[in-house]
Amino acid sequence: GTANGIGCANPVMFYAPIALGPGNPNTVYYGSDRLYRSTDKAVTMTVVSQAPIVSGVAISCVGIAKQDDNYRIVGLTNGQVWATSTGSSTLENITPAGAPAVPVQRVTFDPNNKNIAYISYGGYGVTAGQHIWKTSNFNVVSLMPTWASSGTGIPDVPVNGFAIDPANSNI
């Protein structure tokens, strides 16, 4: 380990996923094969997920709701999606049924509604239109989110990133 609490032997992407949460100062999240959280600008990091989430599989992206630090979602390099809506250190597998087994490239919450989440997949060999998924009932405590493919018109190309307009969530 290191002085800040991050394990050196944890599987991690070459560019480790990092995200900011709400607050002042912002909370900082870091992903390896587990999710870390810091409230002191990453001077100290605390594990806030299973350790590891999936053995030998790195987190590829991290999303934190702008309205609520307890809403956390991570995508893995194996295509799985794990999350909590309570800030629990036990994340739940909320991978969409029928989702491709390619790396999750982006996970994010609607900037105006923490109950809406989006994920995108990279890779090729995925059914056209299946690279972006959306849920409008993000609550992993009471029920499994209902995901819908939202990539209509997008061919079989990796979707490595996307943004949602904070002034109009439909854009």
Side-chain angles (χ1 to χ4, degrees):
T2 63
N4 69 354
I6 296 174
C8 293
N10 301 347
V12 64
M13 301 282 292
F14 184 78
Y15 292 109
I18 298 173
L20 290 177
N24 188 12
N26 295 91
T27 50
V28 177
Y29 289 86
Y30 170 88
S32 62
D33 63 345
R34 58 204 74 196
L35 184 63
Y36 291 91
R37 179 178 186 266
S38 174
T39 58
D40 60 7
K41 301 177 186 173
V43 173
T44 56
M45 301 293 277
T46 304
V47 176
V48 291
S49 71
Q50 299 88 322
I53 295 174
V54 175
S55 182
V57 178
I59 294 173
S60 54
C61 49
V62 176
I64 308 299
K66 299 292 182 206
Q67 307 88 350
D68 189 340
D69 203 46
N70 291 321
Y71 279 60
R72 306 170 189 158
I73 187 169
V74 298
L76 305 182
T77 57
N78 67 357
Q80 291 182 358
V81 180
W82 293 71
T84 180
S85 58
T86 64
S88 171
S89 61
T90 302
L91 303 182
E92 299 291 331
N93 186 341
I94 62 165
T95 306
V102 296
V104 180
Q105 296 298 93
R106 178 94 163 108
V107 290
T108 192
F109 288 94
D110 185 301
N112 302 303
N113 185 344
K114 66 183 180 183
N115 292 308
I116 298 174
Y118 299 86
I119 58 176
S120 73
Y121 287 93
Y124 291 97
V126 176
T127 303
Q130 301 286 306
H131 281 276
I132 299 175
W133 295 72
K134 174 184 177 182
T135 184
S136 58
N137 65 335
F138 188 87
N139 182 343
V140 298
V141 173
S142 63
L143 57 108
M144 172 72 164
T146 303
W147 293 98
S149 176
S150 298
T152 302
I154 297 175
D156 179 19
V157 296
V159 177
N160 297 325
F162 62 91
I164 301 158
D165 186 343
N168 181 350
S169 296
N170 292 319
I171 299 173

